[in-house]
Amino acid sequence: MDTIKKTDQFIINTYARVQKTFVSGKGCTLVDEDNNSYIDFLAGIAVCSLGHCHPQITKAILDQSAKLVHVSNLFYTKPQAELASILVEKSFADKVFFANSGAEANEAAIKLARRYFQVQRKKDKFKIITMEQSFHGRTMATLSATGQEKIKQGFDPCLQGFIHLPFNDIDTLKASIDPDVCAIMLEPVQGEGGVISADPDYLVAVRKLCDDNDILLIFDEIQTGMGRCGRLFAYEEYGVVPDIMTLAKALGNGLPIGAMLASRKAKKGFDFGSHGSTFGGTPLVASAALEVVKIISNLDFLEKCRQKGEYFRLQLNNLKEKYSFVKDIRGMGLLIGLEIDDAKLDGTTIVEKCLEKGFIINAIQGKILRFAPPLIIGEDEIDKLIACLDNIFSEEI
Ligand code: PLP
């Protein structure tokens, strides 16, 4: 039985999969089982930011797998300590908690925010404000935090205490603050929600609101962090520092790891026994993530990401000039969205056509193409995708 049939028969069908089986990858290229090559502009949804099978990461995995793969968090391991220390050195944070995924990192953030106030005997201060169209994960707490109804369908009752408000609307946010709010949680750029950036003034005002009302600010940087938006963390671009930040996706370049970073103040919410994870920060994934952080945090590397992001957006804007149904080009760094406004052409059709021509892209919310290529993408590869999109779009007119 072939892989697609076997998958469909034996795996619970929760994903709308494309009929394609990949067998290998190198850099920005993926290869399918019929030996066709594809340029990857999705990177496992902003995960393989250093490209597929990056030699330095592969070496770290091989070396560590021959030494020690797992030991309980009841003991100490060097890769975990080194990873935590570099994340603290490169960010606002004072301490880190390791998990295995984005949802788990957010789960930790939600728990920390609530417990931070409960240890101060402020039991009623448990409400968390999140944004409409946000995405924070699929566990019960994180889908309750998520501001998209379709993610919650069939799972009632959701965890209580989450309030969803329109993104970038400071007046509504101000009007919704009461003494029971313990945290405001948001993505600096909403990824799944349609590649929508926070307005710089909005984030500054949210920070002030938090400071004035004894509220913790949580940034979900699971998609925006690790160089994706042209800085190591997107908050740096805004100059607005959170109390808690979550990372996952690109942190392991494909190995499962999540991290919750907390300021000196916020970390006080957790102490012995308040949270845990069997696999969190295991030596194998931590040693790979350590190499990832070392490479991505290099300032020249980040500068190149910003340049390539600008170049990419410039080329996409040229398409916008040419085709009236290209409504908007937006995003930061190499997290880019292209919104289509055309009755006949939907995102899924364009994704399929690109795939036929050897390009992997993604569509979200029906009409928005999302590009999140490996950060090592070259201008020549961007040019090839632009030519492909130009071709597809020209068939429309
Ligand atoms: N938060 C954001 C902003 C995300 O984009 C995602 C995944 O797409 C998550 C949380 C959930 O991460 P995971 O799928 O690793 O649980």
Side-chain angles (χ1 to χ4, degrees):
M1 202 189 292
D2 76 9
T3 303
I4 292 178
K5 272 204 186 124
K6 217 177 228 177
T7 302
D8 291 346
Q9 182 166 345
F10 296 114
I11 295 181
I12 295 179
N13 187 14
T14 60
Y15 303 102
R17 293 183 202 261
V18 176
Q19 300 286 301
K20 197 64 66 190
T21 303
F22 290 110
V23 290
S24 65
K26 195 155 192 53
C28 298
T29 303
L30 276 173
V31 177
D32 73 12
E33 59 184 355
D34 300 319
N35 217 19
N36 300 310
S37 294
Y38 303 81
I39 305 181
D40 186 1
F41 276 84
L42 185 58
I45 316 186
V47 169
C48 301
S49 285
L50 295 176
H52 299 279
C53 301
H54 187 287
Q56 212 169 315
I57 310 305
T58 302
K59 184 174 182 316
I61 295 170
L62 287 175
D63 289 353
Q64 188 60 44
S65 70
K67 259 193 257 168
L68 182 67
V69 171
H70 175 80
V71 68
S72 164
N73 276 320
L74 295 174
F75 304 97
Y76 292 85
T77 63
K78 191 171 163 113
Q80 191 180 114
E82 297 298 330
L83 177 61
S85 112
I86 196 170
L87 285 171
V88 166
E89 180 203 325
K90 304 279 180 195
S91 74
F92 70 93
D94 188 53
K95 298 250 183 186
V96 182
F97 176 85
F98 289 116
N100 312 287
S101 66
E104 283 179 60
N106 280 340
E107 190 83 26
I110 291 164
K111 287 179 73 175
L112 180 69
R114 283 196 170 178
R115 202 169 188 280
Y116 173 81
F117 290 104
Q118 297 207 6
V119 294
Q120 299 175 49
R121 303 193 188 290
K122 296 178 182 166
K123 264 201 162 308
D124 294 334
K125 203 169 168 67
F126 66 89
K127 289 188 202 162
I128 299 182
I129 295 178
T130 67
M131 301 300 142
E132 289 172 5
Q133 294 301 110
S134 62
F135 183 76
H136 298 296
R138 301 276 193 164
T139 61
M140 277 312 296
T142 57
L143 76 79
S144 303
T146 292
Q148 298 186 45
E149 272 316 305
K150 64 177 187 215
I151 306 289
K152 302 169 197 264
Q153 267 167 24
F155 298 112
D156 282 338
C158 282
L159 192 68
Q160 61 168 308
F162 289 96
I163 301 157
H164 309 301
L165 298 180
F167 193 35
N168 280 330
D169 179 347
I170 195 66
D171 293 334
T172 306
L173 184 62
K174 275 185 186 159
S176 308
I177 300 297
D178 68 36
D180 298 347
V181 174
C182 77
I184 297 174
M185 179 174 185
L186 58 85
E187 303 151 84
V189 181
Q190 290 189 335
E192 304 304 303
V195 190
I196 298 164
S197 304
D199 296 334
D201 293 351
Y202 174 75
L203 275 203
V204 172
V206 174
R207 176 70 268 181
K208 184 165 184 322
L209 206 57
C210 288
D211 292 339
D212 293 348
N213 292 280
D214 194 18
I215 291 170
L216 294 170
L217 180 57
I218 306 172
F219 281 173
D220 176 342
E221 290 235 25
I222 284 159
Q223 192 157 150
T224 57
M226 299 308 300
R228 175 56 53 196
C229 290
R231 306 273 170 196
L232 186 56
F233 308 114
Y235 79 79
E236 297 172 78
E237 186 66 30
Y238 285 97
V240 175
V241 178
D243 301 294
I244 300 170
M245 173 174 74
T246 51
L247 301 173
K249 286 196 179 277
L251 180 57
N253 206 54
L255 266 68
I257 183 166
M260 182 205 52
L261 283 68
S263 66
R264 189 173 298 277
K265 173 178 126 173
K267 69 151 197 245
K268 291 181 191 151
F270 277 174
D271 47 33
F272 293 116
S274 31
H275 199 36
S277 165
T278 295
F279 293 123
T282 206
L284 184 69
V285 292
S287 54
L290 180 60
E291 293 308 309
V292 173
V293 180
K294 282 183 190 163
I295 298 170
I296 296 186
S297 61
N298 178 288
L299 293 179
D300 289 338
F301 182 92
L302 288 166
E303 173 62 30
K304 283 199 191 104
C305 293
R306 287 195 293 278
Q307 284 169 5
K308 283 184 280 192
E310 267 169 43
Y311 180 78
F312 199 170
R313 273 195 300 277
L314 189 75
Q315 305 309 313
L316 290 169
N317 270 309
N318 288 341
L319 291 181
K320 182 171 171 260
E321 296 285 301
K322 201 164 161 188
Y323 301 103
S324 59
F325 54 82
V326 177
K327 202 175 143 199
D328 192 25
I329 307 294
R330 53 183 183 250
M332 264 170 81
L334 282 163
L335 180 58
I336 301 176
L338 180 156
E339 188 169 346
I340 300 277
D341 183 16
D342 184 90
K344 286 181 287 160
L345 198 61
D346 64 53
T348 315
T349 312
I350 302 172
V351 169
E352 280 165 9
K353 288 187 178 185
C354 280
L355 193 69
E356 277 166 26
K357 293 176 198 296
F359 297 90
I360 297 166
I361 64 163
N362 171 243
I364 37 176
Q365 311 286 339
K367 294 272 179 194
I368 299 152
L369 303 183
R370 173 175 46 181
F371 309 102
L375 304 177
I376 56 165
I377 195 84
E379 287 189 1
D380 52 335
E381 290 162 314
I382 294 172
D383 290 344
K384 285 181 189 159
L385 176 72
I386 296 292
C388 168
L389 288 171
D390 196 358
N391 213 277
I392 294 169
F393 291 168
S394 68
E395 289 165 9
E396 268 306 290
I397 51 176

